[in-house]
Amino acid sequence: MEVNTIGLDLAKNVFQAHGADAVGAIVFRKQLRRDKVLAFLAGQPPCLVAMEACAGAHHWAREIGKLGHTVRLIPPSYVKPFVKRQKNDAADAEAICEAAQRPTMRFVAVKSEEEQASAAVFRARDLLVRQRTQTINALRGHLAEYGLVVAQGPSHIAKLMEKVEHPEGNLPEAAHLALTMLVDTLRSLEERIKQLDAEIARRAREDEDVRRLATIPGVGPITATALIALAPCAASFRKGRDFAAWLGLTPLQHSTGGKQKLGATSKMGERTLRRLLIIGASAVVRHARRRGVREGLWLGRMLARKPPMLVVVALANKMARIVWALMARGGTYRAPAVAA
């Protein structure tokens, strides 16, 4: 029997391989040390090698692809139903192999090193922004214990620092030492976030696709660059709704017996992109409520009969579909005409 599909369960040191022929019969089960994986696969005939889309999977996919194999990455949640009873490395590898042979299975596109580098910029920035928020909240909370209160908002961060560094402040020595460290940390985080923002801005200027996406209202350079870096190729989706569903901006379905029942927004998929689109949609809705919109436009009709937060999510869904259309078909955003 000749191997047709190999399910590879990734690990830190000991990998598990499960080989099957064209009809699914087992050809081999084999444990492999990390440094022996590529040598073993190089000795196999060109076939389909499937792995779960997890940490390191894109690296292994690129390396295995160089050996002439076809590589497929499967979301772990799609592999789980194929695990029989006890969970172990051999059962996982077999489940990956079986899942990869299903004709309707969905796969994750393999990312290049440059695409992963772009994603790393956004992941690092998100981490630093969260740390900055934690530091600001800690400063605000500690100062409030000494009766020093500052208004909320990024524009008041300087006042927080001033309260700590004021030479005539009456903070105890130990508190002053600790809060000064938090102020230094906050300045360091601000500087690093600015460096990453500059890198994102550079990518936005140099990428034509980013400039096209930035023509959509509510999509700025950061969101446009994130969409190019983190979203799969537009060809991976049949239509804009599929892309919106991948982002988690469509309702959950509880349909049965021919009756369609839609629930809350699913919130599945890429959280970073969904959050950025919702933030952009919030800005558009705030502007529309403050300045008004032209009569007859979809946004105006929605605001007239729906709660603002529901309109924000609906607009983010609409923006996702527009993004897919521009990524799949090219061109730039054109404002809709007023309905007659």
Side-chain angles (χ1 to χ4, degrees):
M1 292 187 296
E2 182 173 296
V3 64
N4 177 266
T5 306
I6 297 176
L8 188 62
D9 184 47
L10 303 179
K12 291 182 180 179
N13 296 311
V14 181
F15 293 28
Q16 181 74 33
H18 180 98
D21 63 12
V23 296
I26 299 173
V27 177
F28 61 78
R29 289 192 179 103
K30 190 174 182 63
Q31 272 193 354
L32 300 166
R33 299 295 297 182
R34 187 180 187 89
D35 56 351
K36 303 294 183 183
V37 172
L38 293 180
F40 172 77
L41 293 175
Q44 300 298 319
C47 60
L48 173 65
V49 179
M51 299 172 285
E52 287 184 324
C54 58
H58 292 276
H59 163 74
W60 285 107
R62 291 191 296 268
E63 295 301 315
I64 294 171
K66 295 175 183 177
L67 302 176
H69 298 295
T70 301
V71 183
R72 293 287 184 267
L73 301 182
I74 309 175
S77 59
Y78 292 171
V79 174
K80 188 176 181 180
F82 293 91
V83 177
K84 302 182 183 71
R85 288 185 179 269
Q86 305 297 329
K87 183 192 182 305
N88 52 53
D89 291 348
D92 287 346
E94 182 179 355
I96 294 169
C97 187
E98 289 190 20
Q101 293 177 317
R102 300 303 92 196
T104 59
M105 181 54 60
R106 299 175 184 174
F107 301 104
V108 176
V110 178
K111 294 182 179 179
S112 66
E113 289 185 348
E114 185 60 29
E115 288 173 332
Q116 285 188 294
S118 297
V121 172
F122 286 96
R123 302 300 187 205
R125 184 183 184 277
D126 272 350
L127 175 62
L128 294 180
V129 169
R130 289 197 300 271
Q131 291 177 344
R132 180 180 64 180
T133 302
Q134 291 171 348
T135 305
I136 292 171
N137 290 339
L139 272 174
R140 189 183 304 281
H142 289 307
L143 288 173
E145 293 177 357
Y146 294 100
L148 303 174
V149 179
V150 176
Q152 293 185 358
S155 60
H156 300 287
I157 295 176
K159 294 180 182 178
L160 275 177
M161 298 179 178
E162 185 180 341
K163 294 287 187 183
V164 175
E165 297 175 334
H166 197 281
E168 298 181 1
N170 56 356
L171 293 173
E173 184 177 350
H176 184 270
L177 173 64
L179 297 182
T180 299
M181 289 183 180
L182 290 180
V183 168
D184 292 340
T185 300
L186 185 55
R187 285 203 175 97
S188 176
L189 289 171
E190 289 280 4
E191 182 60 32
R192 283 164 170 75
I193 291 171
K194 287 180 181 178
Q195 292 175 6
L196 292 177
D197 285 343
E199 173 64 17
I200 292 172
R202 182 189 66 79
R203 291 173 178 267
R205 289 193 303 270
E206 296 176 356
D207 195 309
E208 174 62 26
D209 291 332
V210 172
R211 292 198 296 271
R212 290 192 301 104
L213 293 182
T215 60
I216 304 172
V219 176
I222 290 179
T223 303
T225 310
L227 285 164
I228 297 299
L230 302 178
C233 176
S236 305
F237 307 96
R238 290 186 299 111
K239 52 188 177 181
R241 189 190 184 282
D242 294 345
F243 180 60
W246 178 79
L247 289 171
L249 289 169
T250 53
L252 284 169
Q253 286 203 38
H254 302 281
S255 305
T256 183
K259 296 180 180 179
Q260 188 180 56
K261 296 182 180 179
L262 300 180
T265 303
S266 68
K267 296 185 180 179
M268 298 177 181
E270 176 53 63
R271 292 184 297 175
T272 301
L273 294 181
R274 182 174 64 252
R275 175 168 52 81
L276 289 173
L277 286 175
I278 288 178
I279 290 172
S282 298
V284 174
V285 169
R286 280 199 309 271
H287 183 271
R289 295 181 70 194
R290 187 165 55 245
R291 301 289 182 87
V293 294
R294 286 183 296 164
E295 185 178 352
L297 288 180
W298 173 87
L299 183 57
R301 297 196 302 272
M302 287 290 289
L303 286 172
R305 57 190 178 91
K306 296 292 184 181
M309 194 58 213
L310 189 150
V311 178
V312 166
V313 178
L315 179 58
N317 185 321
K318 193 179 184 72
M319 289 164 59
R321 300 180 187 221
I322 296 171
V323 166
W324 177 86
L326 296 190
M327 292 172 64
R329 302 167 187 165
T332 57
Y333 174 79
R334 290 176 295 176
V338 178

